[in-house]
Structures are given as structure tokens and as C-alpha cells.
Amino acid sequence: MFFNEQDSLSRASFLKKLAVAASASLVPGFLTASEKENNLSRTRKNVKSVIFLNMAGGMSHVDTFDWKKSSQFRGVRSSLKGLQIGEAFSRTAKELHRLNLVRSVHSNIGDHDGASAYLHTGHGRNNGFPDIPSFGGVIAKALDKGGAYFPGHITMGNKNRIIGKGGFLGNAYDSFHINNALQPLTNMKPPRNISDARLYRREKLLQKIDMSFSESIYSPEIKTWDKMHASALDFMNSERLQVFDLAQESKKNRERYGENRTGNAMLLVKRLAEAEIPFIELSIGGWDTHNNNKQKISEIASTLDPALAALLGELGSSGLLSQTLVVLSTEFGRTPHMASNGDGRDHFPRAFTTLIGGGGLPAGAVIGSTDEKGEKITADPVSVTDQVATIYAACGIDPQGNLKNSFGRPYPLAPGGKIIKGMV
Amino acid sequence: MKVLSIQKYKKVSLTILLIAGFGYNTRIFSAHEIDLILESQTGKSVELASPAVNLRRMSLLMRGTIPRLQEVQTYTPEKHAQFAATFLRERDTAHYWSEILGSMLRDRSKMKGVPFAAFQKYLAESIDQNKPYKQLVKEMLTAKGEVDKNPAGVFYVRDDGDPLQIAEYVGRVFYGRRMSCARCHDHPYDKNFSRRDYYGLAAFFSQTWVQKNYTGEFLPRERREHFSTKDGKEYEARVREWNQNVRRKMNNKQWEKWRKQNALSYAVVAYEPALGLRFPYSDDAPGGDMVDPRFPYGERPVIDEGEDRRMVFVRWLTSRKNDRFRKVIINRIWTNLMGWSFFTPLDDWAPDSEVKYPELLEHLDKKFVEQDTRLKDLMYYIVTSRSFQRREMKSEDFEAVKTPEQKWELTVTNFPARRLNAYQVFNSLRRGSQSKTLRILSADGKEKELKFNGEGNLLYPLEKEREYENSVQIPKPVREHSFLSAFGAGQRQDVDDDESSLSIDQILELLNGRTTNTLWRSMSHDKDSVFRKNFEREKDMTDVYRLLYLSLLSREPGKDEMDLLQEISTSRLQANESKFNAEMLEDLAWSLANSKEFNHVF
């Protein structure tokens, strides 16, 4: 059967035919023990998508959402009754009623690596078990609807040791990473100069070469290869790829989010939530303000504030917020007193803030408090493990449950973590 | 299934050989001990793979690349041992195994305070020279001084000289035991591994630390706590004295100048003989006391005062009677070459781990000692066995067996296919395309200036280039989202963190990636392309297709494959076969490189 140039096959549907042909030889993939055993069942199903906004570097709490008089920024009124927040986030301030503010998050890990691992897993860093998954991987697996391949765990911005890791859950739950929101997909299309006829010829040759090989040579990996090949073609041909195309948003909306790196990324986050991608993480860096605290935060906020306000506004007004869990958090806060250089703040894990809401959680609550300086927690402390437990519980995953790691050892999801008061 | 004892089996085999007399090809009825032992265990003798399969397997597993065209054309089973010896002398073998050991040792090309790629160079040269493994380990563990003069010391710089981290990695990599659990609590079910034991091992490395800033730098404060009270006081007095007589006499500007003048160009692995290790304080156990160094599983070492504890440890670790050290590396080499392991995981041989064929492991250990623990000697011994050359595992064999034991035995008597690792993919694409170098391109196609290496010497990581002859030249850890990372090359953050599992990224890279697309184009369009030159000589595309198969798959095309090629290329898309068909060449190259056959070693 030759490709008939007279046929008016569009390139996409042509490739689709190949995908179907490939899938026909689909064999169940070979899974490792820990991939097979870790079935995550859900009790609560409100949440279809989780957005995790990772303020990487340690967001100063007294200058932002736990505003204190000693802040380098003026305070502005927020939509949370009686609460002022840092002026740099004046637009976001108006949307805060959609989420809840937790002012009493704490940990005892003061280095970026360890604190980020803690933030993303609820566990302290553990060198002996390097394949612990980020909660992104766990949630992507729990919320996996199956069907044709499409990434369920998506990360944007900078990565580190823990961000995007599927760990022992298998590489299907490693994140699909996007470096540039304007060009999120690479290697997705064959080169333009290859005609459809040639594509067809290539696949035909490939099938021939593969046929005798897989019919004779055995290995579990070869079966996985078939599955992956089919997944790759699924992905390449997926109609859902449109979700990555920011040009489909109105110009007005693009301007509202901001035509800049952060704005584009946040807009893509919104589109991914609309497409019900289970776990979306956007890391915004630059928060490690050991010096030039005011200037650096202003710079971040210049693009983050409008983008974040736009995101919360749109999620709220469209109703998408009811099925989308939104969490904004950080590794640790920053010292309420200025550092010895006079213009910076150092790491401060003793008290920091998180915004959490959507997904059927209550809205507008303010949990916990710190003293007037922002140094000591005065009510309702929330450990990072508690925070992770709450996120899991919101997704309907039992935080006291266990998974099995690649050594067969039990991996507790959020051991001892208590759900934040009134949240789930 | 009745299994003969090894002794009896040997007698029987030798008797058969004697009775058989002349005329037998002794290479087919070899008396290789590995085969004799395995045959006595499984009750079966293995069938050999075809010469083409054997050559390709040997080349990939020893040198990290598919065979050269002339090797495909000249290899015969009689020359197997000769080919093996030649491969072992080649620099590609040193390159490839420096990647494997580099991954095991978490080598990074760029490390603060270390000359670029110094550790990889050290590993590659050590392998190339066939340095005894116990010598290599000794050099690393007892290293001292500036790392540019003694790159073995980078082993310590990697973990910043932290005794706890060092103990964990030494335990895993050289002793084959994961001990991290015991950092915080007694081992959950191994009664012989308590928290004290963990600290006992770490205590061997207490005297070592890494200076990074300036000559004569003092120990960081948190390490000074681990002196005895008396030694601690003396040390503090020295620090005070220096502060009073040197530091305080300088103003900030002078101090900055002094620091610059005395700055260390490279890190120094420093040795502080009196420095010990204190057991940590915790809620549930008393602490604060000095920990005595203890060998794993409790034996007490004899250490003279002020003696370098690491020397004592290394003597014990590499001693004749410590077979465990040797068996851990034997298992690693064996797994890479044979496709199965004596015990898994490779870095955690627990007391209750199952060990397959312990007599064979014993035998290999004996051999390894005779070979003075030289890795290339061990490799030669393994690849010259029949078992290494056993036939590929076929689907029908696998489907026929039911029990786990039968499935296991199948792996021993038939070679299980597995995916190529990132280094093998890269090097095989480069060789298979008959290109001098392979250019890595990012999605937006940015390229850099071309530079070529000289001949003869080992290749090393290149800091600024983008064209590579061998994957060893790409700095490690590889950049995220780069070609090698798509194929699983790890970030060198953990032991062996190269991933062997398949991902969508790899498939997409092979299907649509710029690096490979550019390669196919250069194969058809470059004036110097071997394929164009072949056509210029033969005037027949069929011969070019054949050359592609030999180059990329190391075999001739089958009849039905050639028939399909004829069919496809004489469609109305293309002209006749005596005209150079660049597009067909590219399409065939693409198909060969995307095939499962290319991407697996079997």
C-alpha cells in the first residue's frame, strides 16, 4: 500500500494513522515492583488539578503576606478582612479572599536543598533513599485518568533535586518540564522538510526492521519500548496539545497576565488547569534576598503580582477554582530583622506563610498568627509535614497511608502530619 | 533436574574431551571454568550467538559503541579472544569504563576548587593503564594534598570531607552496604548494624577535611567540636594566637589582600591527626562521646596514636581475606557484561540477600586475586567464556517457561536484551553514521565553533565545544534537557544515577530531534560522506543501503528487508536506483536508528 498523493490527508491525521498502527501492537508495559504496587485510591474527588506556586529561595513573609510594620514595603488593604499585606502585591491583595492564608508554617531546616526537599515531600532530606517522589509525582499518579498518554506532572521554572521527581513511582510520573512557556514543546514534530510520503516510508521501514526483531528477541524492556513509542506518537498527535498554545488566549487576557516570562508561564498554568492536568508546578526564583531585599522583591513582584492576581481572578470568576487546588508556598521565610549588611534578610524557617485554597476548600480563612515582629508563632503552628498532609487530603489521598519504595521499605506519605484546621 | 557436583562435572567433561580426541574445535568445547561451573549448576550447555551478534555485543559492552565496519567484515569466532584483547587496549574502553565508574563515584566535570574534569581524567588513565582496583581505591581513600597534584583526592572534595557522607558512600560503593538508615536510628532488621556502628565507620574518616579558601585555613567550627577536650583547647589556642598575631594586625583591606595572595587555586584534602568524631546528642540516646572507629560488623581496628585511620581502613578493606570488597566490584563488572547479577542491588548486599551461584562468585574472586585485581583482566576472563557469547533470549523460550526458577535459568543460558545506555547510544550513532564527530544541537539550533582533537591520546571532557567524537568528552553531569540526559545520563548526584528506563523524551529525540536529523542530512549531503563516496564508486543505491545496515546494525540486511527497500524506493516518489537517492538514505538511516534492534544490546 503506497501513499497516494491524491488523497487529501492532512499531516496530523496521517500521523494519527501511524499511531493507531503502532498502538495495535501494544503490549502491557513492564512495571517494576514499586510501580505496580503503589496504587493510590482517593476518597475525595473534588480536586481535578493542583497548582503549586513554588517561591524558590525563601520568600520574606514580613514583606509579603504576613506584613508587619517593620517591612520595607508599605502595607495595603487586602480582601481578607482586617489584614494588610505588602504593597508589592497590591493586586494579588484584592484576590486573597479566594484562598486561605496560613501565617504559622514552620520547619527546622534552613538550607535550600533540604528545605525544598521537605517542602515537596513532607520528609527531611534522606541520602540513603534518593528516589523519594515529590508530591507532584504522587498526586499525578493518584489523579491519573489513564487513556492516551499526556503528561500529568508538569513543571516550569527552575528545577532542583526534588522538583519534578517521580522517584520510585516510575518515570511516567517524572515531570514534563517546560523551560519556555512560549515554546513549551520541542522534538514534537518531524522536520518540516520531510514530506508526508517520506514519513510514511520511514514508519514502514521501521516496522519492517522492528518486526523480525521483536518477534524473536525477548526482553521486558522491549515491551516497554512498544508502549513508549505508542505514547510518544499519542502525545505528538494529541488534540490536547493545543493547551500549550498561548496564542489561543485573547490579547486582552495575555496583557492582563503580562507579556513577560512570568505572565506567560502563569497563563500556561491556567490553561493546564483548564485541561485538568493533575499537577502543575511553577517555580519563581529570586527570593533568596540576602542583600537588596527591597529591590529584588519589587522586581519579582512587578511581573508576579499582576500574573498571580490574573490567575486567581480568572480561576475564581470562571468557577475553575472549585476543582483546582492552589498552593503558594516557599522553603522558609526570612529574618524579620535586617541582616548585618543592612539591606538583606537571611533564612528564617521558624515562621513563614502559605496561601492555600480552591478545590472545594473554604475560602477567606486566616490560620495561625505570628507576633508583631513576625519572629514567633503565637497560634496554630503548622509544620511543613502538616501542610503536605493537607495537600494530600485535599486530593483525597490518605496522608497517613504508605507507599512502597524501590527497596520494598514502607514510605509514609506525611507521617504524623495533621490537616490544617478546618481546611479539609 | 539433577545437578552434578562441579568436581564430577569437570571429570565428565574432560573425559569426553579426551575421548573425542583430535578434530574438535577446542573453542567450541572450551574448558573455561566459568562455563563448567554454570553448566554444572544449570545442567545445560549454552548455544552460541551468531558471530555478528557476538561482535556487536562485545563491542557495546566493552567499549560502549557498536563495531567498526571493518570489524564486522573480519570478525570470526576463532578470533574472539584476539578481538577481546584488542578492544581492551583501545582508548574507547578506558573512555567507556571511566563513564561507568564515574557514574558510580558521582564524578562531576565542574566542581568548585577542582581543575576541570580532573577526576574523570584520573579514572580514565587508571583504567587505561589497567591499574589494580585495590590500588585505585587505596589512592582515593588515602588521598591528601592539593587535588591538582593528586586528583584521587577529589573523592573527598565531592562530599566536602564530611565523615558521615564519606562513610555512607564508601559503604555503598566499596563495601556494598547501604547504611544511611543507621545515621538516625539502629537498622530496622539487621541487628548487626546500629547507629553506633554507622558512626564507628564514619570515625575512620574523621581526620580528613577539605580546605577551599586559603593556605593554612583552620578547621570550620563545627568540626572542632570533635576534638578531645585537651586537643580542642590546644587547637583553639592556636587559632586565638593566629588571630591575635596575624589577623588582628591587619585592617580589612590588608586582610582582603592577604586572602587573595594566599588563596588556594584548588582544594586541598587536609589531614588533622588528632581530630575524632563524637556521637551526636539526641533525645533518646546519650551522646557526645568520642566514637572509636569500628569496621562494619563490629571488628575493632588497631590504630596507633596519630596514625592515619584511613590507611588502617584501606588495609582492612583491600586485604586478602576481605573477599567482600572484591566480590562487590566483580558483581558490578559481571552485571554489566553478562546481564545478570550475583546479588542485587549492587550497592546493598544484606545478610539475607540471595546470592546466585556462590561457587562461581568464589571462583571469580580467586581469579581476580590472581589477576592482582586488575579490571581489564577480569573483563577478558569473562568475555572469553561461552556463557558471555550465549545466544539471545527469544520470546518463544520465555513464553515456554513458567516458574521463576526456570525464568531465572533462562537468563543464565540466554542473553537478555536491554536498552543501550546514553553513552552507547551517542557513540553508536557517531560510529554508525560514519561521522568523525557528532554535534549536539539544542532545539533552537544554536551551534558553536568547530574544533578537532589530536590523535592517540585519551579524550577528555571539553568545556566549550559542541562537537564530540566520544561521549566521554561531554562534561558530566550532562545538561538537563540535553541529548544525553534524554537517554538517561544522570545528574551525578547519587551513586549510579544514570537511568536505564525508557522515557518519552528519548523516543521523541530519536523521532524528531535536531541532533539526529542533522546527522542524517550530513550522511547524505556532506561531500566526505562515506555513503556518497560508496555510491560514486558502485553507482548502486542497493549497495549504499547494505552499507547502512552494516554501519548501524552491524549486519547485512535480510532478503525481505531488501525487497521492501526496492519496493519503496521504486515508487513514483523516486527515480531509478542508479541516481543517488539522498532522501532514501536519510529515511533508511532514520529507521535503523529508531529501531529496537539499534537501541538494545542483546
Side-chain angles (χ1 to χ4, degrees):
Chain A
M1 176 197 136
F2 294 104
F3 174 74
N4 188 340
E5 281 175 321
Q6 232 91 15
D7 295 344
S8 57
L9 280 174
S10 73
R11 202 172 179 74
S13 59
F14 168 75
L15 287 171
K16 214 170 185 165
K17 282 199 170 183
L18 294 176
V20 168
S23 305
S25 64
L26 204 58
V27 176
F30 178 79
L31 302 168
T32 63
S34 49
E35 288 171 27
K36 267 196 281 232
E37 290 194 48
N38 288 315
N39 289 312
L40 284 151
S41 57
R42 298 169 65 199
T43 48
R44 181 180 187 272
K45 302 227 169 124
N46 308 44
V47 171
K48 300 237 161 42
S49 177
V50 176
I51 294 174
F52 186 73
L53 301 171
N54 180 37
M55 302 299 111
M59 175 176 76
S60 164
H61 55 299
V62 306
D63 290 311
T64 58
F65 299 106
D66 190 13
W67 182 84
K68 303 291 178 190
K69 291 213 175 69
S70 55
S71 166
Q72 289 188 302
F73 294 87
R74 277 187 332 122
V76 296
R77 263 211 300 233
S78 75
S79 57
L80 287 170
K81 216 176 284 194
L83 226 72
Q84 287 189 297
I85 70 157
E87 188 183 28
F89 286 90
S90 51
R91 289 200 226 186
T92 305
K94 301 198 183 82
E95 305 289 346
L96 283 184
H97 61 284
R98 303 191 192 276
L99 303 176
N100 305 288
L101 173 62
V102 184
R103 298 185 292 188
S104 51
V105 191
H106 66 92
S107 98
N108 58 7
I109 303 180
D111 67 294
H112 294 289
D113 204 42
S116 188
Y118 190 30
L119 178 66
H120 286 82
T121 63
H123 290 256
R125 170 187 30 212
N126 192 329
N127 289 308
F129 296 102
D131 58 354
I132 286 175
S134 151
F135 53 24
V138 177
I139 292 169
K141 188 172 168 102
L143 271 58
D144 188 355
K145 287 185 276 219
Y149 174 80
F150 200 84
H153 182 185
I154 296 186
T155 49
M156 292 193 254
N158 281 328
K159 282 177 88 171
N160 62 19
R161 261 196 236 213
I162 189 60
I163 293 174
K165 290 288 185 299
F168 57 74
L169 295 173
N171 60 17
Y173 301 105
D174 279 333
S175 71
F176 178 79
H177 189 74
I178 296 172
N179 273 314
N180 181 353
L182 292 173
Q183 257 192 331
L185 306 169
T186 56
N187 295 344
M188 293 294 286
K189 291 200 171 65
R192 248 181 288 255
N193 65 314
I194 311 287
S195 69
D196 291 350
R198 285 182 66 187
L199 285 178
Y200 177 77
R201 179 164 75 184
R202 286 181 170 196
E203 279 288 334
K204 203 130 168 81
L205 280 170
L206 178 58
Q207 273 170 29
K208 186 63 163 173
I209 300 165
D210 272 348
M211 194 156 57
S212 49
F213 186 74
S214 37
E215 263 165 22
S216 54
I217 308 288
Y218 173 82
S219 111
E221 303 203 4
I222 287 176
K223 306 229 180 244
T224 313
W225 184 278
D226 283 329
K227 185 182 180 207
M228 280 292 173
H229 190 78
S231 297
L233 289 176
D234 272 351
F235 190 35
M236 281 165 65
N237 297 312
S238 173
E239 268 138 20
R240 297 175 76 193
L241 285 181
Q242 296 183 52
V243 72
F244 293 107
D245 186 7
L246 293 184
Q248 297 202 2
E249 292 284 326
S250 69
K251 191 165 178 341
K252 193 163 170 220
N253 213 20
R254 297 212 310 270
E255 280 167 10
R256 190 181 305 135
Y257 279 78
E259 299 261 33
N260 52 61
R261 215 185 139 81
T262 303
N264 289 328
M266 202 66 83
L267 185 55
L268 184 52
V269 166
K270 185 226 38 156
R271 289 180 67 78
L272 292 170
E274 273 173 352
E276 299 181 2
I277 302 295
F279 191 91
I280 308 151
E281 176 163 355
L282 169 59
S283 275
I284 306 279
W287 285 101
D288 194 23
T289 52
H290 288 284
N291 49 34
N292 295 323
N293 182 68
K294 184 168 186 201
Q295 183 201 332
K296 286 182 176 172
I297 294 180
S298 303
E299 224 174 281
I300 296 171
S302 65
T303 50
L304 181 58
D305 184 40
L308 185 52
L311 177 75
L312 294 175
E314 193 169 354
L315 288 177
S317 60
S318 67
L320 203 55
L321 192 58
S322 58
Q323 65 173 54
T324 308
L325 181 70
V326 179
V327 183
L328 183 147
S329 193
T330 184
E331 298 113 89
F332 33 69
R334 302 200 83 84
T335 53
H337 54 270
M338 302 308 292
S340 51
N341 58 16
D343 61 22
R345 300 191 193 277
D346 295 328
H347 302 179
F348 195 75
R350 272 178 262 163
F352 52 106
T353 49
T354 288
L355 296 172
I356 180 168
L361 265 55
V366 178
I367 291 128
S369 53
T370 51
D371 64 4
E372 60 176 22
K373 288 206 180 121
E375 276 174 4
K376 265 199 339 230
I377 292 175
T378 48
D380 299 324
V382 171
S383 74
V384 171
T385 310
D386 295 335
Q387 179 168 292
V388 173
T390 308
I391 293 171
Y392 281 139
C395 296
I397 301 168
D398 176 12
Q400 301 313 316
N402 283 315
L403 296 179
K404 225 182 215 178
N405 73 12
S406 49
F407 271 76
R409 299 288 297 142
Y411 171 72
L413 284 170
K418 293 186 262 338
I419 296 173
I420 299 172
K421 200 168 71 171
M423 283 294 106
V424 184
Chain B
M1 177 206 68
K2 176 75 169 70
V3 160
L4 294 171
S5 75
I6 297 169
Q7 294 308 317
K8 200 161 185 196
Y9 194 86
K10 276 190 202 173
K11 270 202 186 131
V12 170
S13 308
L14 284 168
T15 316
I16 293 177
L17 273 172
L18 284 167
I19 292 173
F22 316 108
Y24 277 104
N25 185 336
T26 52
R27 274 164 299 286
I28 295 175
F29 289 95
S30 77
H32 200 300
E33 278 286 329
I34 290 178
D35 300 318
L36 291 174
I37 298 173
L38 281 176
E39 284 163 21
S40 77
Q41 293 292 300
T42 60
K44 299 190 177 79
S45 66
V46 299
E47 277 175 48
L48 295 183
S50 68
V53 167
N54 252 324
L55 172 65
R56 183 175 182 272
R57 182 192 299 172
M58 190 165 78
S59 181
L60 278 167
L61 297 179
M62 293 173 80
R63 302 186 297 187
T65 176
I66 52 176
R68 296 183 179 93
L69 193 59
Q70 55 268 47
E71 290 165 351
V72 176
Q73 289 158 340
T74 59
Y75 174 83
T76 62
E78 288 74 28
K79 295 188 194 157
H80 182 85
Q82 184 190 324
F83 266 72
T86 309
F87 284 3
L88 286 171
R89 287 184 206 110
E90 282 186 8
R91 63 184 193 171
D92 274 353
T93 299
H95 293 155
Y96 182 59
W97 286 90
S98 76
E99 304 263 43
I100 294 182
L101 291 189
S103 173
M104 182 180 94
L105 294 165
R106 299 164 301 142
D107 169 54
R108 311 186 82 142
S109 303
K110 216 174 186 160
M111 261 191 272
K112 196 152 180 253
V114 177
F116 187 75
F119 194 58
Q120 187 279 332
K121 290 183 194 178
Y122 167 71
L123 287 178
E125 277 160 19
S126 302
I127 296 165
D128 195 45
Q129 294 156 12
N130 204 14
K131 184 183 288 181
Y133 182 67
K134 63 179 201 253
Q135 173 68 22
L136 177 68
V137 173
K138 178 175 179 211
E139 285 172 9
M140 288 192 286
L141 292 188
T142 59
K144 259 196 275 218
E146 300 122 329
V147 297
D148 56 327
K149 301 202 176 61
N150 186 5
V154 176
F155 181 82
Y156 283 99
V157 178
R158 184 70 180 84
D159 289 304
D160 214 18
D162 172 25
L164 301 189
Q165 285 288 97
I166 304 283
E168 276 185 32
Y169 281 101
V170 166
R172 280 173 77 179
V173 173
F174 302 125
Y175 191 71
R177 198 78 173 95
R178 288 195 184 204
M179 296 148 172
S180 317
C181 310
R183 187 193 279 232
C184 304
H185 58 77
D186 294 348
H187 201 284
Y189 41 77
D190 184 354
K191 286 196 172 54
N192 293 319
F193 219 82
S194 69
R195 210 167 166 223
R196 285 242 157 226
D197 293 319
Y198 174 96
Y199 277 86
L201 177 61
F204 279 105
F205 305 102
S206 66
Q207 302 156 313
T208 317
W209 64 289
V210 177
Q211 283 176 329
K212 283 202 170 124
N213 300 309
Y214 50 87
T215 353
E217 191 181 332
F218 286 109
L219 273 170
R221 221 171 269 280
E222 58 272 13
R223 292 295 291 268
R224 294 186 216 164
E225 289 166 12
H226 296 276
F227 275 120
S228 69
T229 319
K230 173 169 160 288
D231 291 322
K233 283 203 173 112
E234 280 176 26
Y235 198 84
E236 294 299 336
R238 270 174 42 207
V239 176
R240 251 196 320 273
E241 199 199 313
W242 183 85
N243 268 326
Q244 278 169 4
N245 299 335
V246 184
R247 174 72 185 90
R248 296 260 166 78
K249 297 222 165 121
M250 296 187 239
N251 62 33
N252 280 342
K253 226 167 143 183
Q254 287 169 320
W255 171 238
E256 281 311 312
K257 187 164 168 222
W258 187 94
R259 273 183 69 129
K260 262 210 187 100
Q261 282 174 340
N262 292 282
L264 289 172
S265 326
Y266 296 113
V268 172
V269 178
Y271 172 67
E272 193 59 63
L275 190 59
L277 184 70
R278 289 186 187 276
F279 197 74
Y281 296 95
S282 63
D283 292 337
D284 53 341
D289 56 300
M290 281 297 200
V291 178
D292 287 326
R294 214 41 94 94
F295 296 126
Y297 296 102
E299 235 186 280
R300 280 172 187 272
V302 174
I303 306 182
D304 297 326
E305 191 165 325
E307 188 177 5
D308 189 343
R309 296 175 175 187
R310 306 172 308 170
M311 279 292 194
V312 177
F313 181 77
V314 165
R315 271 202 299 273
W316 169 85
L317 183 70
T318 60
S319 73
R320 181 74 173 81
K321 63 177 170 46
N322 196 356
D323 57 328
R324 189 190 171 101
F325 165 73
R326 295 185 301 267
K327 286 175 177 172
V328 166
I329 189 69
I330 290 170
N331 190 33
R332 189 173 281 278
I333 306 284
W334 181 270
T335 304
N336 266 287
L337 294 175
M338 294 291 276
W340 58 269
S341 311
F342 290 100
F343 57 85
T344 53
L346 302 184
D347 62 356
D348 199 15
W349 185 0
D352 57 350
S353 293
E354 188 196 355
V355 179
K356 302 281 188 193
Y357 311 130
E359 312 93 89
L360 178 55
L361 187 54
E362 249 344 293
H363 167 73
L364 288 168
D365 182 40
K366 214 176 88 206
K367 247 332 207 226
F368 196 44
V369 170
E370 281 168 27
Q371 293 161 344
D372 203 17
T373 70
R374 290 177 201 275
L375 295 178
K376 289 205 269 191
D377 287 43
L378 178 67
M379 289 182 211
Y380 181 80
Y381 190 62
I382 295 171
V383 307
T384 48
S385 69
R386 273 173 65 91
S387 300
F388 176 77
Q389 304 172 66
R390 64 200 191 278
R391 83 196 243 291
E392 319 90 281
M393 192 185 300
K394 311 265 182 177
S395 300
E396 68 240 17
D397 306 319
F398 196 81
E399 263 124 46
V401 297
K402 299 297 167 211
T403 69
E405 292 83 44
Q406 287 174 327
K407 286 194 152 73
W408 166 259
E409 221 169 68
L410 202 63
T411 317
V412 175
T413 52
N414 301 265
F415 196 97
R418 67 179 189 270
R419 217 211 73 206
L420 299 184
N421 60 39
Y423 317 116
Q424 289 164 330
V425 170
F426 182 92
N427 294 325
S428 300
L429 281 174
R430 205 275 300 161
R431 177 164 287 169
S433 62
Q434 306 272 13
S435 315
K436 282 210 180 71
T437 58
L438 190 61
R439 196 179 309 146
I440 303 261
L441 292 168
S442 61
D444 50 20
K446 291 206 173 84
E447 300 169 26
K448 292 248 171 108
E449 276 291 342
L450 306 182
K451 266 206 185 137
F452 294 99
N453 299 292
E455 294 290 288
N457 299 313
L458 292 184
L459 301 175
Y460 298 123
L462 301 171
E463 228 173 324
K464 291 181 170 68
E465 316 311 318
R466 279 283 206 274
E467 275 206 22
Y468 310 102
E469 202 183 312
N470 188 286
S471 67
V472 77
Q473 294 174 304
I474 301 170
K476 307 293 178 318
V478 298
R479 285 217 310 274
E480 294 213 33
H481 312 293
S482 66
F483 184 85
L484 282 195
S485 86
F487 286 94
Q491 285 303 298
R492 299 291 167 93
Q493 276 164 359
D494 194 49
V495 174
D496 289 336
D497 66 357
D498 290 343
E499 270 178 38
S500 51
S501 52
L502 206 45
S503 74
I504 295 275
D505 281 340
Q506 289 160 29
I507 308 264
L508 288 176
E509 186 71 54
L510 283 173
L511 289 175
N512 305 319
R514 281 192 72 108
T515 300
T516 43
N517 279 321
T518 313
L519 195 60
W520 317 141
R521 259 194 90 73
S522 72
M523 283 162 77
S524 64
H525 281 74
D526 279 4
K527 286 202 284 78
D528 295 327
S529 150
V530 165
F531 303 98
R532 282 198 85 100
K533 290 204 167 124
N534 178 281
F535 184 78
E536 276 156 31
R537 271 195 322 271
E538 310 293 329
K539 297 288 187 234
D540 180 6
M541 279 309 288
T542 315
D543 207 64
V544 177
Y545 304 150
R546 210 180 135 249
L547 185 61
L548 271 169
Y549 267 86
L550 285 168
S551 300
L552 281 163
L553 295 187
S554 309
R555 67 167 174 88
E556 301 270 1
K559 182 175 183 306
D560 52 344
E561 287 169 318
M562 281 312 276
D563 288 345
L564 178 63
L565 282 164
Q566 295 284 58
E567 196 184 304
I568 279 182
S569 59
T570 55
S571 77
R572 57 200 202 79
L573 290 169
Q574 315 301 338
N576 53 50
E577 280 304 71
S578 59
K579 185 165 178 266
F580 184 71
N581 193 339
E583 291 182 345
M584 189 64 201
L585 195 162
E586 287 171 29
D587 292 346
L588 180 56
W590 180 94
S591 308
L592 292 167
N594 270 280
S595 71
K596 283 180 272 207
E597 188 174 340
F598 178 79
N599 285 286
H600 286 81
V601 57
F602 50 88

